[in-house]
Amino acid sequence: MRTYRDEAIVLRTHPLGEADRIITILTRHHGMVRCVAKGVRRTKSRFGARLEPFSVVQAMLYRGRNLDVLTQVETIRPYGLDVAGDYDLYTRANVMAEVTEQVCAQETEEASFLLLLGAIHALAKRRHDADLVMNSYLLRLMALNGWAPSLHGCAVCGRADEWNRFNPGGGGLVCEECDPSPAPVPAPQSVQLLIDLLSGDWPRAKTAPLLARREASSLVAAWVQWHLTRRISSYHLVPPLEVAQ
């Protein structure tokens, strides 16, 4: 059948011509889809407002030669409105969306959709600190796709040492004997925070001090960008962590 329906999360939108948009969505059962929404930029469009980034929708699409065509949209959860109204949430959500596009380009498993859905919900409802949500999501997404960092010992020999360095190319934590490169030696609290974010231990993650959060964020960014072999442009929009957090 050339027509199909699926639940989707809107990741990005781009203008096309005078009235159309190209919409990038992550669907529950069909993976990453780039589609055309015709006429959505007109003031009389029936569903233009439903396609805000980070909104969860029920979409009906028609398979096209190059791009599918979005023919019907129903709002399930208007998270886009909550996220777009807060700069901290919006910038972190953009990082999540950009990484998702890269990681899930050939990914069709439902687990990736559910992981992003949970993270967007946590951001929109402010269940946890935005930076913690972003980093937890990125670590879990990478792990789900086979790129989980070694955090309990050297990735090569397995030796647990508080002086182990963090080298994305070496697999995570590595000891000096296995990797003598000048990789940074993260503080034990930063490593523990990465472990908590990857496992979903939110009560413990929330107690991490500011310095550990900052270092953990830089380690996650280095891990993601090394494995994707590209810079994540959305990172430069993310504001630095403040002492108040």
mmCIF file with all atom_site columns, all heavy atoms in Angstrom, residues 18-42:
data_model
loop_
_atom_site.group_PDB
_atom_site.id
_atom_site.type_symbol
_atom_site.label_atom_id
_atom_site.label_alt_id
_atom_site.label_comp_id
_atom_site.label_asym_id
_atom_site.label_entity_id
_atom_site.label_seq_id
_atom_site.pdbx_PDB_ins_code
_atom_site.Cartn_x
_atom_site.Cartn_y
_atom_site.Cartn_z
_atom_site.occupancy
_atom_site.B_iso_or_equiv
_atom_site.pdbx_formal_charge
_atom_site.auth_seq_id
_atom_site.auth_comp_id
_atom_site.auth_asym_id
_atom_site.auth_atom_id
_atom_site.pdbx_PDB_model_num
ATOM 1   N N   . GLU A 1 18 ? 6.992  28.447 -1.816 1.00 0.00 ? 18 GLU A N   1
ATOM 2   C CA  . GLU A 1 18 ? 6.280  29.529 -1.139 1.00 0.00 ? 18 GLU A CA  1
ATOM 3   C C   . GLU A 1 18 ? 5.296  29.047 -0.083 1.00 0.00 ? 18 GLU A C   1
ATOM 4   O O   . GLU A 1 18 ? 4.954  29.797 0.828  1.00 0.00 ? 18 GLU A O   1
ATOM 5   C CB  . GLU A 1 18 ? 5.526  30.381 -2.164 1.00 0.00 ? 18 GLU A CB  1
ATOM 6   C CG  . GLU A 1 18 ? 6.431  31.100 -3.148 1.00 0.00 ? 18 GLU A CG  1
ATOM 7   C CD  . GLU A 1 18 ? 5.652  31.968 -4.098 1.00 0.00 ? 18 GLU A CD  1
ATOM 8   O OE1 . GLU A 1 18 ? 4.405  31.959 -4.020 1.00 0.00 ? 18 GLU A OE1 1
ATOM 9   O OE2 . GLU A 1 18 ? 6.274  32.665 -4.915 1.00 0.00 ? 18 GLU A OE2 1
ATOM 10  N N   . ALA A 1 19 ? 4.848  27.816 -0.171 1.00 0.00 ? 19 ALA A N   1
ATOM 11  C CA  . ALA A 1 19 ? 3.768  27.386 0.721  1.00 0.00 ? 19 ALA A CA  1
ATOM 12  C C   . ALA A 1 19 ? 4.020  26.057 1.416  1.00 0.00 ? 19 ALA A C   1
ATOM 13  O O   . ALA A 1 19 ? 3.315  25.723 2.368  1.00 0.00 ? 19 ALA A O   1
ATOM 14  C CB  . ALA A 1 19 ? 2.456  27.302 -0.062 1.00 0.00 ? 19 ALA A CB  1
ATOM 15  N N   . ASP A 1 20 ? 5.030  25.302 0.967  1.00 0.00 ? 20 ASP A N   1
ATOM 16  C CA  . ASP A 1 20 ? 5.225  23.956 1.491  1.00 0.00 ? 20 ASP A CA  1
ATOM 17  C C   . ASP A 1 20 ? 6.370  23.902 2.499  1.00 0.00 ? 20 ASP A C   1
ATOM 18  O O   . ASP A 1 20 ? 7.144  24.845 2.639  1.00 0.00 ? 20 ASP A O   1
ATOM 19  C CB  . ASP A 1 20 ? 5.511  22.983 0.347  1.00 0.00 ? 20 ASP A CB  1
ATOM 20  C CG  . ASP A 1 20 ? 4.446  23.020 -0.730 1.00 0.00 ? 20 ASP A CG  1
ATOM 21  O OD1 . ASP A 1 20 ? 3.320  23.462 -0.430 1.00 0.00 ? 20 ASP A OD1 1
ATOM 22  O OD2 . ASP A 1 20 ? 4.749  22.606 -1.862 1.00 0.00 ? 20 ASP A OD2 1
ATOM 23  N N   . ARG A 1 21 ? 6.461  22.783 3.162  1.00 0.00 ? 21 ARG A N   1
ATOM 24  C CA  . ARG A 1 21 ? 7.578  22.525 4.063  1.00 0.00 ? 21 ARG A CA  1
ATOM 25  C C   . ARG A 1 21 ? 8.021  21.076 3.918  1.00 0.00 ? 21 ARG A C   1
ATOM 26  O O   . ARG A 1 21 ? 7.206  20.184 3.661  1.00 0.00 ? 21 ARG A O   1
ATOM 27  C CB  . ARG A 1 21 ? 7.189  22.767 5.533  1.00 0.00 ? 21 ARG A CB  1
ATOM 28  C CG  . ARG A 1 21 ? 7.136  24.224 5.949  1.00 0.00 ? 21 ARG A CG  1
ATOM 29  C CD  . ARG A 1 21 ? 6.970  24.362 7.454  1.00 0.00 ? 21 ARG A CD  1
ATOM 30  N NE  . ARG A 1 21 ? 6.844  25.736 7.876  1.00 0.00 ? 21 ARG A NE  1
ATOM 31  C CZ  . ARG A 1 21 ? 7.859  26.562 8.056  1.00 0.00 ? 21 ARG A CZ  1
ATOM 32  N NH1 . ARG A 1 21 ? 9.089  26.133 7.861  1.00 0.00 ? 21 ARG A NH1 1
ATOM 33  N NH2 . ARG A 1 21 ? 7.651  27.805 8.442  1.00 0.00 ? 21 ARG A NH2 1
ATOM 34  N N   . ILE A 1 22 ? 9.322  20.869 4.122  1.00 0.00 ? 22 ILE A N   1
ATOM 35  C CA  . ILE A 1 22 ? 9.846  19.518 4.269  1.00 0.00 ? 22 ILE A CA  1
ATOM 36  C C   . ILE A 1 22 ? 9.905  19.222 5.763  1.00 0.00 ? 22 ILE A C   1
ATOM 37  O O   . ILE A 1 22 ? 10.484 19.990 6.534  1.00 0.00 ? 22 ILE A O   1
ATOM 38  C CB  . ILE A 1 22 ? 11.241 19.378 3.640  1.00 0.00 ? 22 ILE A CB  1
ATOM 39  C CG1 . ILE A 1 22 ? 11.157 19.574 2.124  1.00 0.00 ? 22 ILE A CG1 1
ATOM 40  C CG2 . ILE A 1 22 ? 11.838 18.009 3.966  1.00 0.00 ? 22 ILE A CG2 1
ATOM 41  C CD1 . ILE A 1 22 ? 12.500 19.513 1.439  1.00 0.00 ? 22 ILE A CD1 1
ATOM 42  N N   . ILE A 1 23 ? 9.291  18.130 6.166  1.00 0.00 ? 23 ILE A N   1
ATOM 43  C CA  . ILE A 1 23 ? 9.204  17.768 7.583  1.00 0.00 ? 23 ILE A CA  1
ATOM 44  C C   . ILE A 1 23 ? 10.018 16.493 7.808  1.00 0.00 ? 23 ILE A C   1
ATOM 45  O O   . ILE A 1 23 ? 9.851  15.509 7.083  1.00 0.00 ? 23 ILE A O   1
ATOM 46  C CB  . ILE A 1 23 ? 7.743  17.505 8.014  1.00 0.00 ? 23 ILE A CB  1
ATOM 47  C CG1 . ILE A 1 23 ? 6.816  18.618 7.505  1.00 0.00 ? 23 ILE A CG1 1
ATOM 48  C CG2 . ILE A 1 23 ? 7.650  17.359 9.520  1.00 0.00 ? 23 ILE A CG2 1
ATOM 49  C CD1 . ILE A 1 23 ? 7.068  19.965 8.097  1.00 0.00 ? 23 ILE A CD1 1
ATOM 50  N N   . THR A 1 24 ? 10.892 16.526 8.795  1.00 0.00 ? 24 THR A N   1
ATOM 51  C CA  . THR A 1 24 ? 11.635 15.330 9.194  1.00 0.00 ? 24 THR A CA  1
ATOM 52  C C   . THR A 1 24 ? 11.007 14.782 10.460 1.00 0.00 ? 24 THR A C   1
ATOM 53  O O   . THR A 1 24 ? 10.912 15.500 11.470 1.00 0.00 ? 24 THR A O   1
ATOM 54  C CB  . THR A 1 24 ? 13.121 15.639 9.446  1.00 0.00 ? 24 THR A CB  1
ATOM 55  O OG1 . THR A 1 24 ? 13.685 16.211 8.263  1.00 0.00 ? 24 THR A OG1 1
ATOM 56  C CG2 . THR A 1 24 ? 13.887 14.374 9.790  1.00 0.00 ? 24 THR A CG2 1
ATOM 57  N N   . ILE A 1 25 ? 10.570 13.537 10.403 1.00 0.00 ? 25 ILE A N   1
ATOM 58  C CA  . ILE A 1 25 ? 9.892  12.928 11.559 1.00 0.00 ? 25 ILE A CA  1
ATOM 59  C C   . ILE A 1 25 ? 10.528 11.574 11.874 1.00 0.00 ? 25 ILE A C   1
ATOM 60  O O   . ILE A 1 25 ? 11.050 10.890 10.994 1.00 0.00 ? 25 ILE A O   1
ATOM 61  C CB  . ILE A 1 25 ? 8.373  12.734 11.297 1.00 0.00 ? 25 ILE A CB  1
ATOM 62  C CG1 . ILE A 1 25 ? 8.149  11.893 10.031 1.00 0.00 ? 25 ILE A CG1 1
ATOM 63  C CG2 . ILE A 1 25 ? 7.674  14.076 11.174 1.00 0.00 ? 25 ILE A CG2 1
ATOM 64  C CD1 . ILE A 1 25 ? 6.679  11.601 9.737  1.00 0.00 ? 25 ILE A CD1 1
ATOM 65  N N   . LEU A 1 26 ? 10.474 11.214 13.142 1.00 0.00 ? 26 LEU A N   1
ATOM 66  C CA  . LEU A 1 26 ? 10.845 9.863  13.562 1.00 0.00 ? 26 LEU A CA  1
ATOM 67  C C   . LEU A 1 26 ? 9.549  9.141  13.870 1.00 0.00 ? 26 LEU A C   1
ATOM 68  O O   . LEU A 1 26 ? 8.812  9.543  14.775 1.00 0.00 ? 26 LEU A O   1
ATOM 69  C CB  . LEU A 1 26 ? 11.748 9.891  14.800 1.00 0.00 ? 26 LEU A CB  1
ATOM 70  C CG  . LEU A 1 26 ? 12.188 8.504  15.306 1.00 0.00 ? 26 LEU A CG  1
ATOM 71  C CD1 . LEU A 1 26 ? 13.066 7.800  14.277 1.00 0.00 ? 26 LEU A CD1 1
ATOM 72  C CD2 . LEU A 1 26 ? 12.925 8.605  16.642 1.00 0.00 ? 26 LEU A CD2 1
ATOM 73  N N   . THR A 1 27 ? 9.260  8.110  13.112 1.00 0.00 ? 27 THR A N   1
ATOM 74  C CA  . THR A 1 27 ? 8.006  7.381  13.285 1.00 0.00 ? 27 THR A CA  1
ATOM 75  C C   . THR A 1 27 ? 8.210  6.162  14.177 1.00 0.00 ? 27 THR A C   1
ATOM 76  O O   . THR A 1 27 ? 9.334  5.679  14.364 1.00 0.00 ? 27 THR A O   1
ATOM 77  C CB  . THR A 1 27 ? 7.436  6.937  11.936 1.00 0.00 ? 27 THR A CB  1
ATOM 78  O OG1 . THR A 1 27 ? 8.318  5.958  11.364 1.00 0.00 ? 27 THR A OG1 1
ATOM 79  C CG2 . THR A 1 27 ? 7.297  8.127  10.989 1.00 0.00 ? 27 THR A CG2 1
ATOM 80  N N   . ARG A 1 28 ? 7.098  5.669  14.673 1.00 0.00 ? 28 ARG A N   1
ATOM 81  C CA  . ARG A 1 28 ? 7.163  4.527  15.586 1.00 0.00 ? 28 ARG A CA  1
ATOM 82  C C   . ARG A 1 28 ? 7.518  3.226  14.866 1.00 0.00 ? 28 ARG A C   1
ATOM 83  O O   . ARG A 1 28 ? 8.266  2.395  15.398 1.00 0.00 ? 28 ARG A O   1
ATOM 84  C CB  . ARG A 1 28 ? 5.819  4.374  16.299 1.00 0.00 ? 28 ARG A CB  1
ATOM 85  C CG  . ARG A 1 28 ? 5.820  3.331  17.403 1.00 0.00 ? 28 ARG A CG  1
ATOM 86  C CD  . ARG A 1 28 ? 4.596  3.458  18.281 1.00 0.00 ? 28 ARG A CD  1
ATOM 87  N NE  . ARG A 1 28 ? 4.745  2.715  19.516 1.00 0.00 ? 28 ARG A NE  1
ATOM 88  C CZ  . ARG A 1 28 ? 4.219  3.084  20.671 1.00 0.00 ? 28 ARG A CZ  1
ATOM 89  N NH1 . ARG A 1 28 ? 3.527  4.216  20.760 1.00 0.00 ? 28 ARG A NH1 1
ATOM 90  N NH2 . ARG A 1 28 ? 4.390  2.356  21.763 1.00 0.00 ? 28 ARG A NH2 1
ATOM 91  N N   . HIS A 1 29 ? 7.014  3.055  13.656 1.00 0.00 ? 29 HIS A N   1
ATOM 92  C CA  . HIS A 1 29 ? 7.181  1.781  12.967 1.00 0.00 ? 29 HIS A CA  1
ATOM 93  C C   . HIS A 1 29 ? 7.897  1.877  11.617 1.00 0.00 ? 29 HIS A C   1
ATOM 94  O O   . HIS A 1 29 ? 8.232  0.845  11.034 1.00 0.00 ? 29 HIS A O   1
ATOM 95  C CB  . HIS A 1 29 ? 5.815  1.122  12.743 1.00 0.00 ? 29 HIS A CB  1
ATOM 96  C CG  . HIS A 1 29 ? 5.048  0.873  13.998 1.00 0.00 ? 29 HIS A CG  1
ATOM 97  N ND1 . HIS A 1 29 ? 5.462  -0.025 14.959 1.00 0.00 ? 29 HIS A ND1 1
ATOM 98  C CD2 . HIS A 1 29 ? 3.892  1.419  14.470 1.00 0.00 ? 29 HIS A CD2 1
ATOM 99  C CE1 . HIS A 1 29 ? 4.595  -0.038 15.962 1.00 0.00 ? 29 HIS A CE1 1
ATOM 100 N NE2 . HIS A 1 29 ? 3.637  0.828  15.692 1.00 0.00 ? 29 HIS A NE2 1
ATOM 101 N N   . HIS A 1 30 ? 8.135  3.088  11.132 1.00 0.00 ? 30 HIS A N   1
ATOM 102 C CA  . HIS A 1 30 ? 8.756  3.249  9.816  1.00 0.00 ? 30 HIS A CA  1
ATOM 103 C C   . HIS A 1 30 ? 10.085 3.998  9.873  1.00 0.00 ? 30 HIS A C   1
ATOM 104 O O   . HIS A 1 30 ? 10.610 4.403  8.836  1.00 0.00 ? 30 HIS A O   1
ATOM 105 C CB  . HIS A 1 30 ? 7.793  3.968  8.859  1.00 0.00 ? 30 HIS A CB  1
ATOM 106 C CG  . HIS A 1 30 ? 6.549  3.201  8.559  1.00 0.00 ? 30 HIS A CG  1
ATOM 107 N ND1 . HIS A 1 30 ? 5.443  3.217  9.397  1.00 0.00 ? 30 HIS A ND1 1
ATOM 108 C CD2 . HIS A 1 30 ? 6.225  2.380  7.529  1.00 0.00 ? 30 HIS A CD2 1
ATOM 109 C CE1 . HIS A 1 30 ? 4.500  2.456  8.885  1.00 0.00 ? 30 HIS A CE1 1
ATOM 110 N NE2 . HIS A 1 30 ? 4.940  1.932  7.760  1.00 0.00 ? 30 HIS A NE2 1
ATOM 111 N N   . GLY A 1 31 ? 10.630 4.196  11.052 1.00 0.00 ? 31 GLY A N   1
ATOM 112 C CA  . GLY A 1 31 ? 11.923 4.845  11.180 1.00 0.00 ? 31 GLY A CA  1
ATOM 113 C C   . GLY A 1 31 ? 11.886 6.321  10.825 1.00 0.00 ? 31 GLY A C   1
ATOM 114 O O   . GLY A 1 31 ? 10.868 7.001  10.964 1.00 0.00 ? 31 GLY A O   1
ATOM 115 N N   . MET A 1 32 ? 13.006 6.826  10.346 1.00 0.00 ? 32 MET A N   1
ATOM 116 C CA  . MET A 1 32 ? 13.136 8.230  9.986  1.00 0.00 ? 32 MET A CA  1
ATOM 117 C C   . MET A 1 32 ? 12.498 8.470  8.619  1.00 0.00 ? 32 MET A C   1
ATOM 118 O O   . MET A 1 32 ? 12.770 7.746  7.667  1.00 0.00 ? 32 MET A O   1
ATOM 119 C CB  . MET A 1 32 ? 14.608 8.623  9.940  1.00 0.00 ? 32 MET A CB  1
ATOM 120 C CG  . MET A 1 32 ? 14.848 10.112 9.855  1.00 0.00 ? 32 MET A CG  1
ATOM 121 S SD  . MET A 1 32 ? 14.501 10.967 11.399 1.00 0.00 ? 32 MET A SD  1
ATOM 122 C CE  . MET A 1 32 ? 15.709 10.187 12.483 1.00 0.00 ? 32 MET A CE  1
ATOM 123 N N   . VAL A 1 33 ? 11.651 9.503  8.549  1.00 0.00 ? 33 VAL A N   1
ATOM 124 C CA  . VAL A 1 33 ? 10.945 9.809  7.300  1.00 0.00 ? 33 VAL A CA  1
ATOM 125 C C   . VAL A 1 33 ? 11.065 11.303 7.015  1.00 0.00 ? 33 VAL A C   1
ATOM 126 O O   . VAL A 1 33 ? 10.852 12.136 7.898  1.00 0.00 ? 33 VAL A O   1
ATOM 127 C CB  . VAL A 1 33 ? 9.452  9.425  7.391  1.00 0.00 ? 33 VAL A CB  1
ATOM 128 C CG1 . VAL A 1 33 ? 8.708  9.872  6.133  1.00 0.00 ? 33 VAL A CG1 1
ATOM 129 C CG2 . VAL A 1 33 ? 9.291  7.926  7.602  1.00 0.00 ? 33 VAL A CG2 1
ATOM 130 N N   . ARG A 1 34 ? 11.431 11.643 5.783  1.00 0.00 ? 34 ARG A N   1
ATOM 131 C CA  . ARG A 1 34 ? 11.400 13.031 5.312  1.00 0.00 ? 34 ARG A CA  1
ATOM 132 C C   . ARG A 1 34 ? 10.246 13.145 4.340  1.00 0.00 ? 34 ARG A C   1
ATOM 133 O O   . ARG A 1 34 ? 10.154 12.383 3.377  1.00 0.00 ? 34 ARG A O   1
ATOM 134 C CB  . ARG A 1 34 ? 12.722 13.415 4.650  1.00 0.00 ? 34 ARG A CB  1
ATOM 135 C CG  . ARG A 1 34 ? 13.888 13.421 5.596  1.00 0.00 ? 34 ARG A CG  1
ATOM 136 C CD  . ARG A 1 34 ? 15.183 13.830 4.909  1.00 0.00 ? 34 ARG A CD  1
ATOM 137 N NE  . ARG A 1 34 ? 15.217 15.269 4.688  1.00 0.00 ? 34 ARG A NE  1
ATOM 138 C CZ  . ARG A 1 34 ? 15.306 15.851 3.502  1.00 0.00 ? 34 ARG A CZ  1
ATOM 139 N NH1 . ARG A 1 34 ? 15.326 15.119 2.404  1.00 0.00 ? 34 ARG A NH1 1
ATOM 140 N NH2 . ARG A 1 34 ? 15.365 17.166 3.387  1.00 0.00 ? 34 ARG A NH2 1
ATOM 141 N N   . CYS A 1 35 ? 9.344  14.053 4.617  1.00 0.00 ? 35 CYS A N   1
ATOM 142 C CA  . CYS A 1 35 ? 8.126  14.147 3.833  1.00 0.00 ? 35 CYS A CA  1
ATOM 143 C C   . CYS A 1 35 ? 7.798  15.602 3.506  1.00 0.00 ? 35 CYS A C   1
ATOM 144 O O   . CYS A 1 35 ? 8.345  16.527 4.117  1.00 0.00 ? 35 CYS A O   1
ATOM 145 C CB  . CYS A 1 35 ? 6.957  13.498 4.572  1.00 0.00 ? 35 CYS A CB  1
ATOM 146 S SG  . CYS A 1 35 ? 6.674  14.158 6.237  1.00 0.00 ? 35 CYS A SG  1
ATOM 147 N N   . VAL A 1 36 ? 6.909  15.790 2.563  1.00 0.00 ? 36 VAL A N   1
ATOM 148 C CA  . VAL A 1 36 ? 6.466  17.118 2.165  1.00 0.00 ? 36 VAL A CA  1
ATOM 149 C C   . VAL A 1 36 ? 5.080  17.376 2.729  1.00 0.00 ? 36 VAL A C   1
ATOM 150 O O   . VAL A 1 36 ? 4.172  16.547 2.587  1.00 0.00 ? 36 VAL A O   1
ATOM 151 C CB  . VAL A 1 36 ? 6.429  17.248 0.627  1.00 0.00 ? 36 VAL A CB  1
ATOM 152 C CG1 . VAL A 1 36 ? 5.872  18.611 0.226  1.00 0.00 ? 36 VAL A CG1 1
ATOM 153 C CG2 . VAL A 1 36 ? 7.814  17.056 0.045  1.00 0.00 ? 36 VAL A CG2 1
ATOM 154 N N   . ALA A 1 37 ? 4.927  18.499 3.385  1.00 0.00 ? 37 ALA A N   1
ATOM 155 C CA  . ALA A 1 37 ? 3.616  18.954 3.850  1.00 0.00 ? 37 ALA A CA  1
ATOM 156 C C   . ALA A 1 37 ? 3.214  20.124 2.969  1.00 0.00 ? 37 ALA A C   1
ATOM 157 O O   . ALA A 1 37 ? 3.777  21.217 3.080  1.00 0.00 ? 37 ALA A O   1
ATOM 158 C CB  . ALA A 1 37 ? 3.677  19.370 5.320  1.00 0.00 ? 37 ALA A CB  1
ATOM 159 N N   . LYS A 1 38 ? 2.270  19.883 2.085  1.00 0.00 ? 38 LYS A N   1
ATOM 160 C CA  . LYS A 1 38 ? 1.914  20.885 1.086  1.00 0.00 ? 38 LYS A CA  1
ATOM 161 C C   . LYS A 1 38 ? 0.943  21.918 1.645  1.00 0.00 ? 38 LYS A C   1
ATOM 162 O O   . LYS A 1 38 ? -0.029 21.576 2.312  1.00 0.00 ? 38 LYS A O   1
ATOM 163 C CB  . LYS A 1 38 ? 1.309  20.199 -0.137 1.00 0.00 ? 38 LYS A CB  1
ATOM 164 C CG  . LYS A 1 38 ? 2.296  19.282 -0.855 1.00 0.00 ? 38 LYS A CG  1
ATOM 165 C CD  . LYS A 1 38 ? 1.721  18.718 -2.141 1.00 0.00 ? 38 LYS A CD  1
ATOM 166 C CE  . LYS A 1 38 ? 2.767  17.886 -2.886 1.00 0.00 ? 38 LYS A CE  1
ATOM 167 N NZ  . LYS A 1 38 ? 2.238  17.327 -4.159 1.00 0.00 ? 38 LYS A NZ  1
ATOM 168 N N   . GLY A 1 39 ? 1.253  23.174 1.388  1.00 0.00 ? 39 GLY A N   1
ATOM 169 C CA  . GLY A 1 39 ? 0.368  24.265 1.764  1.00 0.00 ? 39 GLY A CA  1
ATOM 170 C C   . GLY A 1 39 ? 0.370  24.641 3.222  1.00 0.00 ? 39 GLY A C   1
ATOM 171 O O   . GLY A 1 39 ? -0.423 25.486 3.639  1.00 0.00 ? 39 GLY A O   1
ATOM 172 N N   . VAL A 1 40 ? 1.277  24.094 4.036  1.00 0.00 ? 40 VAL A N   1
ATOM 173 C CA  . VAL A 1 40 ? 1.223  24.342 5.479  1.00 0.00 ? 40 VAL A CA  1
ATOM 174 C C   . VAL A 1 40 ? 1.661  25.749 5.862  1.00 0.00 ? 40 VAL A C   1
ATOM 175 O O   . VAL A 1 40 ? 1.386  26.207 6.973  1.00 0.00 ? 40 VAL A O   1
ATOM 176 C CB  . VAL A 1 40 ? 2.074  23.311 6.257  1.00 0.00 ? 40 VAL A CB  1
ATOM 177 C CG1 . VAL A 1 40 ? 1.513  21.926 6.096  1.00 0.00 ? 40 VAL A CG1 1
ATOM 178 C CG2 . VAL A 1 40 ? 3.525  23.372 5.827  1.00 0.00 ? 40 VAL A CG2 1
ATOM 179 N N   . ARG A 1 41 ? 2.324  26.451 4.948  1.00 0.00 ? 41 ARG A N   1
ATOM 180 C CA  . ARG A 1 41 ? 2.762  27.818 5.264  1.00 0.00 ? 41 ARG A CA  1
ATOM 181 C C   . ARG A 1 41 ? 1.691  28.846 4.925  1.00 0.00 ? 41 ARG A C   1
ATOM 182 O O   . ARG A 1 41 ? 1.873  30.038 5.181  1.00 0.00 ? 41 ARG A O   1
ATOM 183 C CB  . ARG A 1 41 ? 4.062  28.123 4.531  1.00 0.00 ? 41 ARG A CB  1
ATOM 184 C CG  . ARG A 1 41 ? 5.210  27.205 4.964  1.00 0.00 ? 41 ARG A CG  1
ATOM 185 C CD  . ARG A 1 41 ? 6.424  27.370 4.078  1.00 0.00 ? 41 ARG A CD  1
ATOM 186 N NE  . ARG A 1 41 ? 6.994  28.705 4.196  1.00 0.00 ? 41 ARG A NE  1
ATOM 187 C CZ  . ARG A 1 41 ? 7.901  29.198 3.367  1.00 0.00 ? 41 ARG A CZ  1
ATOM 188 N NH1 . ARG A 1 41 ? 8.298  28.463 2.323  1.00 0.00 ? 41 ARG A NH1 1
ATOM 189 N NH2 . ARG A 1 41 ? 8.394  30.404 3.546  1.00 0.00 ? 41 ARG A NH2 1
ATOM 190 N N   . ARG A 1 42 ? 0.600  28.408 4.360  1.00 0.00 ? 42 ARG A N   1
ATOM 191 C CA  . ARG A 1 42 ? -0.500 29.331 4.094  1.00 0.00 ? 42 ARG A CA  1
ATOM 192 C C   . ARG A 1 42 ? -1.277 29.580 5.379  1.00 0.00 ? 42 ARG A C   1
ATOM 193 O O   . ARG A 1 42 ? -1.396 28.701 6.241  1.00 0.00 ? 42 ARG A O   1
ATOM 194 C CB  . ARG A 1 42 ? -1.439 28.762 3.030  1.00 0.00 ? 42 ARG A CB  1
ATOM 195 C CG  . ARG A 1 42 ? -0.793 28.572 1.661  1.00 0.00 ? 42 ARG A CG  1
ATOM 196 C CD  . ARG A 1 42 ? -1.853 28.323 0.606  1.00 0.00 ? 42 ARG A CD  1
ATOM 197 N NE  . ARG A 1 42 ? -1.249 28.137 -0.709 1.00 0.00 ? 42 ARG A NE  1
ATOM 198 C CZ  . ARG A 1 42 ? -1.129 26.970 -1.319 1.00 0.00 ? 42 ARG A CZ  1
ATOM 199 N NH1 . ARG A 1 42 ? -1.556 25.860 -0.713 1.00 0.00 ? 42 ARG A NH1 1
ATOM 200 N NH2 . ARG A 1 42 ? -0.576 26.886 -2.521 1.00 0.00 ? 42 ARG A NH2 1
#
